[in-house]
Amino acid sequence: MTRTFEEARDWVRLGTALLTGAADAGDAVLDAPSVLPGWSRKHVVAHVAANADALGNLVHWAATGEQTPMYASAEERAEGIAKGAALPAAELTGWLRGSAAELETATAALGAEQWRAEVVTAQGRTVPATELPWMRAREVCVHAVDLGRGVTFADLPAGFLSALCDDVVAKRAAARTGPAVRLVPTDADARWELPGTGAPAEVTGPLHELTAYLTGRPATPTTRHGGPVPRLGPWL
Ligand code: ZN
């Protein structure tokens, strides 16, 4: 299954709308825990806002050829999240919306040549700028779910979920640390093989449940025979 550039751009818009909607709340709600261990909802919002600024650096790189990395350092990245998480709700959600709009404007201004320009991600991967919408789509869509405000993977398009499963399976396969798993969605014509130790356990359920399971979010898929599924380790 392959995703297209246009799909990724649609998913950025959809995920941004879901995320900003879910983040539209006061301090009491946003200071509460998110789905992510150890992170409040404000941490999640700050992380996604900082991500827009960081991806903006890569858009600038693609547009001008000037090498501007996503983050100056891992420390700067962590500091940005901590600082953002301490902001009042109105200021923080203002940053979320403003940074998303700015990224969208900068992205929309790229020409065909600039889209083909290569940039280096925070993980050290060299990618053409055409990968940037997918990187952003992943962030806004998955973290909209992580806010724990009612958005679930079931609210995301099947094409996005499949593309995300492709990504996570590739990353997990490269690490080769977990159990062998075969993922068979009940509602999509797809399957994924996760190489690992032992005979593969067949894990089945709706695509959105399998995606939640693969990404380490709360999920309730079962094995083919209705039993419990193998525990997967962290993937990022
Ligand atoms: Zn993230």
Side-chain angles (χ1 to χ4, degrees), residues 164-236:
L164 184 58
C165 287
D166 287 346
D167 244 40
V168 181
V169 165
K171 268 212 187 90
R172 286 188 176 282
R176 284 192 170 272
T177 50
V181 173
R182 176 177 303 128
L183 296 141
V184 185
T186 50
D187 55 355
D189 185 18
R191 63 174 50 209
W192 291 271
E193 301 279 347
L194 202 54
T197 48
E202 192 165 305
V203 173
T204 184
L207 179 59
H208 64 89
E209 282 290 339
L210 298 186
T211 311
Y213 169 67
L214 260 182
T215 55
R217 268 65 180 182
T220 53
T222 63
T223 63
R224 190 184 181 73
H225 307 293
V229 298
R231 259 179 74 102
L232 300 177
W235 65 286
L236 279 179

Side-chain angles (χ1 to χ4, degrees), residues 106-138:
T107 301
L110 291 180
E113 184 97 346
Q114 294 164 322
W115 277 117
R116 284 192 293 272
E118 289 193 326
V119 296
V120 181
T121 71
Q123 278 79 40
R125 280 191 318 134
T126 299
V127 297
T130 47
E131 277 296 287
L132 300 179
W134 169 244
M135 289 169 62
R136 180 62 180 168
R138 251 179 357 198

